[in-house]
Amino acid sequence: MSLYGTMRTGVSGMNAQANRLSTVADNIANANTTGYKKASTQFSSLILPSTGGAYNSGGVTTDVRYSISAQGTFTYTTSATDLAINGKGFFIVEGTDGQEYMTRAGAFTMMDDGSLQNSAGYTLMGYEYSSTEDPTIVVNGFDGLQQINLSSGALNAKGSTAGALDVNLPSNEEVGYEKTTSLVAYDSQGNTRLIEFTYTKTADNAWSVEASYDGTTIAGPIAMTFDSEGQLLTPSPATITTTAQVIDGANLNALSITVGGSSQLASAFDVSNGKIDGNGASKVTGYEISDDGIVSLKYSNGELTPKYRIAMASVQSPDNLKPLPGNVYSQSNESGVVVMGYAGTNGYGSIISGALEDSNVDIAEELTSMIESQRNYTANSKVFQTGSELMEVLVNLKR
């Protein structure tokens, strides 16, 4: 056995325990870091070939692993922009370098420009929301993502396009009887426009309805006929369609008003259902984030309008992602390719608004590891010291 080899083995052991102690120090320092995933040190022996009955001591090498796939507990907060993922997946964030990264650190705060940034300065990314279909995503890349912005709709106005007006027309009135009611619609600039509907009895079980705005006819007269039970027969389909108007530079869209619930019974004229879509100009007063990642803006008129869908990502081997400063990760050769998706679909976890994922560090476990590392470091130093002393004895044999 080589005394030099013994000393080198002792040094190898001390270096390995120093590495372990470094991961312990990082874990303890980040025990309260949102979304932090602990590091651990794995040891592997280095065996040298032995010849002629002499044993050659090798040493030990270390490999640092990260428990990225191990989920932490949750801490609930009062901020709707604090986000946690319950299950598989990562948020996509953009750094100041313009590159996209993955993270579980969801302590996002709305900045003065409306963007959402976490405590490390990374901006949350997603797709523009569509009410008819999920946004098209690039499955294996970050193309098409945009910054989620909560002030993108500081003022909102939506022109009316459809509504409903169900009335009862009194069957016991004389021919020529006339009654008027109205609906408030919104033009493209959010102005209110009063649409009047005039019903006139033309014969038994027969009426006409005309829609007008400011004295100008925009639909009708349209014939409405009823059966002997007072149920609507025509028009079929039971819809009144108005013509579009340009009013003071704003567009009043063509309106499709359903009247299928109208009746003709021996009772007074009555409106049982009158509604129309659209809204006037209103300010953003808040926001909501659903468990499937839909970001909706809340307006002063009470309307909740979906604007974005938070994107999520995953890889085949999350524990092999490359950790970077700021508690973010990037793809590595061992992790596999990035696969995109949405919360609550294809195995991705749900998003919890008003919560943060805690670090998965166990302080008791780390302190135990610290004591073990300290004792093992001391033991390896004794091996080195003993080798050094034997070398001194060998040198002094000549005296």
Side-chain angles (χ1 to χ4, degrees):
M1 177 182 69
S2 168
L3 292 178
Y4 286 117
T6 301
M7 296 169 65
R8 282 195 294 268
T9 300
V11 171
S12 173
M14 287 189 287
N15 286 335
Q17 295 302 326
N19 286 342
R20 184 186 186 190
L21 197 58
S22 295
T23 60
V24 169
D26 255 354
N27 291 340
I28 293 177
N30 288 281
N32 294 319
T33 300
T34 299
Y36 175 80
K37 303 302 181 181
K38 70 175 183 179
S40 61
T41 305
Q42 303 299 318
F43 296 86
S44 297
S45 60
L46 296 175
I47 304 298
L48 297 179
S50 299
T51 58
Y55 182 79
N56 292 323
S57 60
V60 63
T61 185
T62 58
D63 178 47
V64 178
R65 299 181 182 178
Y66 296 90
S67 301
I68 299 174
S69 59
Q71 181 170 295
T73 56
F74 298 123
T75 296
Y76 291 89
T77 71
T78 58
S79 173
T81 57
D82 282 340
L83 304 176
I85 300 173
N86 184 17
K88 171 186 172 183
F90 298 86
F91 296 115
I92 308 301
V93 292
E94 184 180 70
T96 55
D97 56 359
Q99 297 297 313
E100 288 82 12
Y101 303 94
M102 291 173 282
T103 188
R104 298 275 293 196
F108 295 104
T109 303
M110 187 172 76
M111 310 306 289
D112 55 2
D113 61 353
S115 63
L116 290 175
Q117 290 187 12
N118 65 14
S119 53
Y122 289 89
T123 304
L124 182 63
M125 306 294 286
Y127 297 96
E128 189 172 354
Y129 179 80
S130 170
S131 60
T132 57
E133 59 182 357
D134 283 339
T136 300
I137 62 174
V138 178
V139 176
N140 61 343
F142 300 124
D143 291 344
L145 288 169
Q146 58 182 282
Q147 293 186 1
I148 291 178
N149 192 300
L150 297 183
S151 65
S152 60
L155 276 175
N156 177 62
K158 181 181 179 182
S160 301
T161 58
L165 183 59
D166 299 325
V167 301
N168 178 67
L169 300 172
S171 61
N172 51 2
E173 294 291 347
E174 299 292 331
V175 174
Y177 171 83
E178 187 176 280
K179 188 68 175 179
T180 299
T181 189
S182 59
L183 284 176
V184 172
Y186 299 93
D187 65 22
S188 58
Q189 296 179 1
N191 299 299
T192 58
R193 304 298 179 182
L194 189 66
I195 310 298
E196 292 189 342
F197 295 85
T198 303
Y199 298 86
T200 305
K201 186 169 184 178
T202 57
D204 289 342
N205 297 335
W207 296 72
S208 68
V209 58
E210 179 180 358
S212 63
Y213 169 73
D214 197 22
T216 301
T217 299
I218 57 176
I222 297 169
M224 298 179 69
T225 61
F226 299 85
D227 62 17
S228 59
E229 303 295 327
Q231 301 303 307
L232 186 67
L233 292 175
T234 61
S236 182
T239 303
I240 298 173
T241 302
T242 69
T243 56
Q245 304 288 309
V246 178
I247 307 169
D248 300 330
N251 295 322
L252 178 61
N253 299 321
L255 305 175
S256 179
I257 310 297
T258 60
V259 294
S262 297
S263 61
Q264 182 199 241
L265 300 172
S267 181
F269 180 89
D270 178 66
V271 178
S272 60
N273 181 32
K275 62 183 180 181
I276 202 163
D277 64 0
N279 60 266
S282 56
K283 295 182 178 180
V284 174
T285 58
Y287 36 82
E288 289 186 8
I289 301 175
S290 65
D291 58 2
D292 56 355
I294 297 176
V295 181
S296 301
L297 300 184
K298 186 183 297 182
Y299 291 91
S300 56
N301 62 359
E303 183 178 359
L304 203 60
T305 304
K307 288 291 185 181
Y308 298 97
R309 187 81 180 266
I310 296 175
M312 295 186 71
S314 185
V315 293
Q316 290 84 351
S317 180
D319 290 343
N320 286 317
L321 286 168
K322 180 181 179 181
L324 297 170
N327 209 9
V328 297
Y329 307 98
S330 65
Q331 176 184 329
S332 70
N333 292 332
E334 293 78 21
S335 68
V337 298
V338 175
V339 179
M340 303 291 292
Y342 299 114
T345 63
N346 299 324
Y348 289 95
S350 59
I351 291 177
I352 305 175
S353 177
L356 295 173
E357 182 180 358
D358 299 329
S359 165
N360 62 2
V361 172
D362 185 331
I363 290 293
E365 182 181 336
E366 298 305 318
L367 291 176
T368 301
S369 296
M370 180 188 295
I371 295 171
E372 290 176 350
S373 296
Q374 182 182 7
R375 295 291 182 257
N376 291 338
Y377 190 97
T378 301
N380 279 282
S381 70
K382 291 298 183 181
V383 172
F384 180 89
Q385 182 180 355
T386 301
S388 176
E389 290 173 353
L390 291 176
M391 182 64 69
E392 184 178 358
V393 170
L394 182 62
V395 171
N396 289 335
L397 287 178
K398 182 177 181 299
R399 295 179 183 178

